[in-house]
Amino acid sequence: YLIIILLYYKSCIGSIPSFFPSGWFPFVLVVYTIKCLVTPWRIRRGLWGTIKNVLLSPYEPATFFGTYVADVFTSMVKIWQDLAWTVCYFASGNFLDRQTTFFSEQKEHWQASVAYVNVLIPLICLLPIWFRLMQCLRRYHDTRLRWPNLANAAKYSLAQIVTLFGTFHPLFMFNNAKMRVAGHNEVNDVGGMFQVFWVSIFICSSVYSSCWDVFMDWGLGRVEYKGLGPRLMFPAIWWYYVAIVVDVILRFLWVTSLVPPDSGAQFSLPNYLTSAVMALEILRRTVWGFLRLEQEHRHNTEGYRRVDFVPLHFNTGHEHDRAGADKINKGKGVLGEVLTIGGLVIVVSIGSIIAAQRQGMEESELYTQHLHEEKLHALLADDDDL
């Protein structure tokens, strides 16, 4: 990897003889990466089968491994964007162009097209969260337990709204229309109401996700255990406190990755920090994975699932309470609730898009009118001078 990157850099600046376009170096690296993703197939087959189940959510059962992979996918939003750029770069044949040709024609490239900027990139930001949301609803459909499945679905619904507002925010559309004129700062006030609402759900989503990580995914945060949990498996207790603090901080950075690039958000990260955020998110998700597996192991052993023999009620002397059995949600009722929640999320999403577009058009018209008035005043001033 390092050798190919070095050769690519040297070829771009002309330090080595250029017998072929510089894009061939990253092309070789991409081909090798694809090879590592599929071979050896005996080992990779299980992972790709799980990925297929994630992509088919909610039509496939939400297993623990499936939800684990889907959670990892939500942390790879920036990586998916880079992969999409890579696929388009090679599929379009741009890697065969000389470096000078690439930069001279950059404005006409696919990366500035509406399909790429306004369709593909927002979908990449949304789909990992959508798949995880569908898994939560499928889990509720299978278990008929509102808690914690619907509460977990609400967490991903919040994250999805953050992404939608990042995609269709009036300020983003205003900047995307290229109506900003040098020397004018009126754009800073565009969509003030949307900005406040966006920041509010941004904070709520980050806090909600952090609390869910600590209390639900890790089983920590218990007051009776000094802020931790029972039956901890790591010998260094202070690591748990460090993990809690780091997770809260990095969660806020992760939510910023849901905001599409160049959205105009005040809290969006500059491009030069993107790689750092990606690395930190991978670190956070790795720590999350260890503690999540620990919690799942504790939960399994408490339910006797570690051993093959599960004692029945007549072995333990426990009498099952069947009085509330008839009150368990029936299949049709659960399906109705799932469809209602899914429909509500879609309605809120579409409503936010329509409202943001309308607000953006109004602000654009007001700004255009303001520019015309300034030009008119300038013309009148010139007439007075004459």
Side-chain angles (χ1 to χ4, degrees):
Y1 173 83
L2 294 176
I3 291 175
I4 289 179
I5 292 299
L6 180 62
L7 291 174
Y8 174 69
Y9 170 72
K10 293 293 186 180
S11 177
C12 289
I13 64 177
S15 297
I16 59 176
S18 182
F19 301 106
F20 45 82
S22 304
W24 277 103
F25 291 108
F27 179 75
V28 172
L29 185 60
V30 168
V31 171
Y32 178 74
T33 304
I34 295 175
K35 176 258 178 188
C36 294
L37 287 174
V38 297
T39 58
W41 181 247
R42 178 178 56 85
I43 299 176
R44 299 284 187 257
R45 180 174 52 190
L47 176 61
W48 283 105
T50 303
I51 292 176
K52 182 200 73 173
N53 292 343
V54 171
L55 298 179
L56 293 178
S57 300
Y59 300 105
E60 293 290 337
T63 62
F64 171 73
F65 189 37
T67 57
Y68 189 96
V69 171
D71 274 320
V72 174
F73 280 179
T74 60
S75 295
M76 297 173 60
V77 172
K78 286 294 183 183
I79 299 175
W80 295 132
Q81 293 176 7
D82 289 343
L83 289 176
W85 192 96
T86 303
V87 171
C88 294
Y89 176 69
F90 290 114
S92 63
N94 287 142
F95 72 101
L96 299 175
D97 298 336
R98 297 289 176 178
Q99 206 68 12
T100 55
T101 305
F102 178 82
F103 284 110
S104 63
E105 300 177 356
Q106 189 169 7
K107 294 183 180 179
E108 303 176 359
H109 276 187
W110 44 262
Q111 57 188 357
S113 65
V114 176
Y116 180 80
V117 176
N118 294 340
V119 178
L120 181 59
I121 294 301
L123 278 178
I124 290 175
C125 295
L126 282 172
L127 284 179
I129 305 172
W130 176 260
F131 291 141
R132 191 64 187 91
L133 172 63
M134 291 297 101
Q135 284 183 334
C136 294
L137 297 182
R138 174 58 190 261
R139 189 71 176 166
Y140 169 55
H141 178 270
D142 294 340
T143 63
R144 304 181 184 180
L145 298 176
R146 293 189 179 93
W147 178 264
N149 299 307
L150 294 187
N152 200 12
K155 179 184 72 173
Y156 295 103
S157 300
L158 272 177
Q160 183 174 341
I161 294 175
V162 172
T163 308
L164 284 171
F165 267 78
T167 306
F168 299 99
H169 194 284
L171 184 58
F172 170 63
M173 293 186 295
F174 194 80
N175 293 336
N176 209 31
K178 298 181 180 179
M179 300 186 65
R180 181 190 295 263
V181 177
H184 295 276
N185 297 322
E186 289 86 349
V187 215
N188 296 331
D189 298 328
V190 174
M193 178 188 67
F194 285 86
Q195 193 76 0
V196 172
F197 182 74
W198 196 8
V199 173
S200 300
I201 60 175
F202 172 87
I203 296 175
C204 291
S205 178
S206 302
V207 173
Y208 195 167
S209 299
S210 300
C211 293
W212 192 274
D213 286 344
V214 175
F215 289 97
M216 301 301 298
D217 289 343
W218 296 350
L220 305 178
R222 307 293 188 260
V223 178
E224 61 271 23
Y225 296 103
K226 298 180 180 180
L228 300 180
R231 303 170 58 219
L232 300 178
M233 302 174 65
F234 286 95
I237 300 299
W238 62 274
W239 272 108
Y240 290 94
Y241 294 107
V242 173
I244 292 174
V245 174
V246 170
D247 185 83
V248 172
I249 296 174
L250 296 185
R251 264 293 182 180
F252 278 84
L253 289 178
W254 170 81
V255 178
T256 60
S257 68
L258 300 178
V259 180
D262 304 323
S263 63
Q266 294 180 358
F267 51 84
S268 60
L269 291 175
N271 290 330
Y272 60 84
L273 290 180
T274 301
S275 58
V277 172
M278 291 166 59
L280 290 174
E281 175 58 20
I282 292 175
L283 172 64
R284 187 199 68 81
R285 182 59 70 177
T286 303
V287 175
W288 174 91
F290 281 116
L291 298 181
R292 177 68 184 91
L293 287 174
E294 179 191 11
Q295 166 65 1
E296 182 69 11
H297 177 72
R298 288 201 303 262
H299 181 69
N300 287 347
T301 54
E302 289 172 359
Y304 298 100
R305 285 184 285 177
R306 184 181 58 175
V307 294
D308 294 332
F309 171 74
V310 180
L312 300 177
H313 62 278
F314 49 78
N315 297 116
T316 60
H318 174 71
E319 295 293 336
H320 285 278
D321 183 13
R322 304 296 298 175
D326 296 335
K327 298 181 180 180
I328 298 178
N329 296 328
K330 301 300 182 182
K332 293 182 179 179
V334 172
L335 181 60
E337 292 183 12
V338 169
L339 294 177
T340 301
I341 294 171
L344 181 62
V345 172
I346 294 174
V347 168
V348 172
S349 303
I350 296 176
S352 64
I353 293 173
I354 295 175
Q357 287 180 336
R358 182 176 300 176
Q359 179 72 15
M361 293 175 61
E362 292 176 358
E363 296 291 348
S364 299
E365 292 175 357
L366 290 175
Y367 188 65
T368 305
Q369 182 180 357
H370 174 70
L371 292 181
H372 288 316
E373 291 176 356
E374 284 189 348
K375 292 180 180 179
L376 181 60
H377 288 310
L379 291 174
L380 292 176
D382 293 339
D383 292 341
D384 293 340
D385 293 339
L386 291 176

